[in-house]
Amino acid sequence: MVKIFATFFFAFLFPLLTLTAQPLVSPDKKISLERKGDVCEVKYKGNQVLEIYRLGLTTSHHEGNCSFGSFSGPAEVVADYTMLSGKRLHCQNEANEYVMSCQFADGKPFKIRIRLFNDGITFRYEVDGLDREKITDEQTAYRIQEGTRRWIQRWTEAYEEFFPLTTSGKGLLHKWGYPALIEPSDGVFALISEANIERCQSASWLSNEWAIDVYKVCPDKNDMEISGSWHSPWRVVIIGGLSDIVESTLITDVSEPDKLADSSWVKPGVVSWVYWAYNHGSNDFNIIKKYVDLAVELKLPYVLIDAEWDNFKDGLSVVDAVNYAKKCGIRPLIWYNSSVGWINGAPGPKFKLNKPEDREKEFQWCEDIGVAGVKIDFFSGDNQMNMDYCIELMECAARHHLLVNFHGATIPRGWQRTYPNLLSTEGVYGAEWYNNVPTFTKKAAAHNATLPFTRNVIGPMDYTPCAFSDSQHPHITTHAHELALTVLFESGLQHLADRPESLLAQPQQVRDFFSHLPNVWDDTRLLAGYPGKYAAIARKSGGAWYVAAINGLDEEQTVKLDWKRVKKLMPKKLSVQAFADSGDKDNPWQFLSLNKLPKEVHLLPRGGVVLVIR
């Protein structure tokens, strides 16, 4: 505690941005960063949204009592790139970049690179001339005033917690995970996260242990000794209205470009998935066969063979299941234990990927037998070892044309741009929790209506949506609510949770919906919403728009849809197919055909609706 106190005390002595009276501004001048007293004030349209309360860096050779001097800029930065999956294929953004000159206490220089985009602010630390040093700490901290509405999850290794609405940082625990959403004033929001984890970097979390309203960035363990140049990940704050938050690509805008020599083989798609209904079904050929047959019937491209396939029953092996899927025209994905997190008592296969030579051999085998991708599970947090391991897994998988889905892992931080074979990441309290505890039943609807504004903003989310029947614990969301989640939640690999019997028992209109469900979106627009209450999102695929709206409340509500920014992109003549709730338990579906866009949708308690517009 003595060292921590000293670091923070000296940080107070040095004013930030000392040599400027002019604020740093975004290209459209809506967002600014300005020194006010001893803090950096971030403003949106002239009003404060956030304070960056402290800045600074600590290495094993240089203490973090830093001084801050002049800055250069602005320089123009343009982001213009394409994605293979995500909320839009063509991403564009621009920023004004400033570089602040700083010094450690012993006079050694370093820099803070700051970019103000039209939808947020990003910054990172850069230091040269390191001599076998470890990056031991960072002093970055954000002040979130008591009374401010916020949705922040408690940190866990797997980022599987709720985002409850609260107005206070009080609590027994002081460790918080990204992304952190705040509403500093009515209708104005800021989402705090980070982006572009590279080798020799750890991820971080937020802690308000030292002051209830000050959330310090805490990098996880980094054992790597670094010589030469190093920079931190980008600290990211997305700013604006809820549509700015939901539609932002700021996380990938500041991430490294596609590193794959050829990514034309990467194909997003919908997946039939065994675990939700059969915890231990992936070692049973007959159960896997049911899910392959389901994929054939619904015209889905993929099937996932989940944990325990290394212990197949009845003298068969996973190769038999893979061959059956291939014979039916379905591309199989298979599961691995990362063997760095949950190992003792955990399912296998284990220890297949840890050593480079074993990993190459295993992924070569996958490629040889016709496996299309791998789901890798049970990591052990945000430390530098895990970050480097994930990068090695993505790179090795790409060499063998394997898609990747990380589970029991950290949240996306831009890897989906750098390694486009990473099509999804869990990092969410998803539908598999119906399998584990009864807690999810009553909380699911509000949680589902919060995720579009929090977790899913920053990258693909393997929530495993859509269950019309029940797992170990029941769901009380409606059929249309469940169907809407397949559009509302973005994921390059969209795993359907329900069992084959339930999906195939749905009306033909619903089965056809799955057969044509896109997994690549040209664009994404928010039509309406408020975290925890309701959400309505429109996604474009070719000449069609898919709209998903859900009710997060236990009471009926009517939601007005704002078509202004979407209608001009649609044809003048259109048809609308609606999938809605009937309110009849025995006949839960209502199918409607419309020739114009509805101004509003009426949602049952925990209900939903899907519109397909052509």
Side-chain angles (χ1 to χ4, degrees), residues 321-570:
V322 166
N323 287 338
Y324 180 75
K326 289 163 51 185
K327 177 184 175 182
C328 295
I330 306 300
R331 304 184 69 195
L333 314 170
I334 63 174
W335 183 98
Y336 285 92
N337 190 323
S338 77
S339 304
V340 294
W342 182 29
I343 300 174
N344 294 332
K350 305 175 189 176
F351 304 109
K352 298 279 190 178
L353 308 177
N354 303 81
K355 296 178 181 179
E357 61 272 22
D358 293 342
R359 185 161 57 243
E360 288 287 347
K361 179 181 178 181
E362 192 69 16
F363 285 171
Q364 181 65 63
W365 172 77
C366 288
E367 185 177 20
D368 289 343
I369 67 171
V371 168
V374 289
K375 173 182 175 181
I376 307 171
D377 210 339
F378 304 139
F379 291 86
S380 57
D382 288 329
N383 57 61
Q384 173 261 322
M385 180 275 291
N386 273 295
M387 300 300 98
D388 283 3
Y389 183 32
C390 286
I391 291 171
E392 291 164 4
L393 287 167
M394 290 184 290
E395 291 180 344
C396 184
R399 287 193 292 273
H400 297 283
H401 302 96
L402 297 174
L403 308 176
V404 177
N405 177 14
F406 286 139
H407 257 237
T410 193
I411 54 170
R413 289 175 168 89
W415 281 339
Q416 61 269 31
R417 177 185 178 189
T418 311
Y419 301 100
N421 59 320
L422 178 67
L423 285 180
S424 196
T425 301
E426 188 181 28
V428 65
Y429 200 111
E432 74 172 26
W433 279 92
Y434 285 120
N435 233 324
N436 302 334
V437 294
T439 310
F440 200 38
T441 297
K442 292 185 178 180
K443 290 189 174 184
H447 179 59
N448 294 344
T450 303
L451 292 174
F453 309 103
T454 52
R455 166 62 182 84
N456 211 186
V457 172
I458 61 174
M461 182 177 75
D462 195 18
Y463 174 100
T464 62
C466 196
F468 305 126
S469 64
D470 289 332
S471 184
Q472 273 69 11
H473 302 281
H475 72 94
I476 55 176
T477 50
T478 68
H479 278 41
H481 180 115
E482 289 295 311
L483 187 71
L485 299 183
T486 65
V487 173
L488 194 72
F489 296 158
E490 183 274 313
S491 177
L493 291 171
Q494 191 73 284
H495 293 76
L496 301 182
D498 211 351
R499 50 180 50 85
E501 297 85 352
S502 173
L503 291 170
L504 295 176
Q506 301 308 311
Q508 186 64 48
Q509 295 96 319
V510 177
R511 301 200 303 273
D512 289 344
F513 173 87
F514 290 124
S515 298
H516 296 96
L517 177 62
N519 230 69
V520 175
W521 303 109
D522 300 317
D523 202 0
T524 293
R525 301 295 175 97
L526 179 69
L527 301 183
Y530 191 83
K533 294 185 178 180
Y534 60 97
I537 288 179
R539 301 191 191 274
K540 183 178 185 292
S541 175
W545 283 85
Y546 285 69
V547 175
I550 64 166
N551 185 357
L553 304 181
D554 293 330
E555 58 192 44
E556 295 184 19
Q557 59 177 323
T558 298
V559 173
K560 294 183 178 180
L561 303 178
D562 183 0
W563 296 104
K564 288 194 295 288
R565 295 178 305 123
V566 178
K567 193 173 183 179
K568 61 184 179 181
L569 303 175
M570 294 181 176

